[in-house]
């Protein structure tokens, strides 16, 4: 399997998500550096924390995001697989943002 094949497979998986979710995924992929919590994602995505957490859990269930332990406050942390993050961030039509999000 070549790099292009992996990118095509990941792109297809991302494009199966509803448009509104794809925009949120792209924003997280561009702005989230390493691990992040639902609270940090909520701030970035301008969502209530519980809505952000539900969204992140849907991505975990779809294998588009990884649950990655807990932070110092006991909040679950999430992260993208590096290849998936790069693929999501490179999807066309997403405005670049200069913000970088880090947990805690």
């Amino acid at each position: 399997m070549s790099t292009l094949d992996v990118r095509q497979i990941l792109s297809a998986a991302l494009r199966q998500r509803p448009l509104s979710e794809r925009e949120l995924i792209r924003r997280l992929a561009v702005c989230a550096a390493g691990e992040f919590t639902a609270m940090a994602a909520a701030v970035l995505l301008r969502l209530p924390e519980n809505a952000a957490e539900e969204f992140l859990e849907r991505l975990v269930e779809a294998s588009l995001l990884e649950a990655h332990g807990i932070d110092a406050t006991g909040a679950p942390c999430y992260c993208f697989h590096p290849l998936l993050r790069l693929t999501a961030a490179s999807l066309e039509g997403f405005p670049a943002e200069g913000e970088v999000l880090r947990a805690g």
Side-chain angles (χ1 to χ4, degrees):
M1 181 179 295
S2 72
T3 302
L4 183 57
D5 292 335
V6 171
R7 182 181 167 92
Q8 288 175 340
I9 290 167
L10 294 175
S11 292
L14 289 166
R15 292 186 190 283
Q16 289 179 1
R17 306 305 296 179
L19 180 60
S20 59
E21 284 192 8
R22 289 196 310 254
E23 292 300 321
L24 297 176
I25 292 167
R26 287 184 203 131
R27 185 173 299 152
L28 281 175
V30 168
C31 300
E35 296 179 4
F36 53 91
T37 63
M39 181 185 296
V43 170
L44 177 66
L45 301 175
R46 297 181 182 101
L47 294 173
E49 186 175 353
N50 63 336
E53 187 169 8
E54 290 172 9
F55 171 65
L56 297 175
E57 288 300 322
R58 284 196 307 274
L59 296 182
V60 169
E61 290 172 9
S63 299
L64 296 174
L65 191 66
E66 299 174 3
H68 203 260
I70 57 171
D71 71 1
T73 68
C77 291
Y78 303 90
C79 67
F80 285 103
H81 183 280
L83 292 176
L84 185 61
R85 186 172 75 76
L86 290 172
T87 301
S90 70
L91 290 177
E92 60 193 52
F94 182 69
E97 294 189 28
E99 302 173 43
V100 175
L101 175 69
R102 296 190 188 277

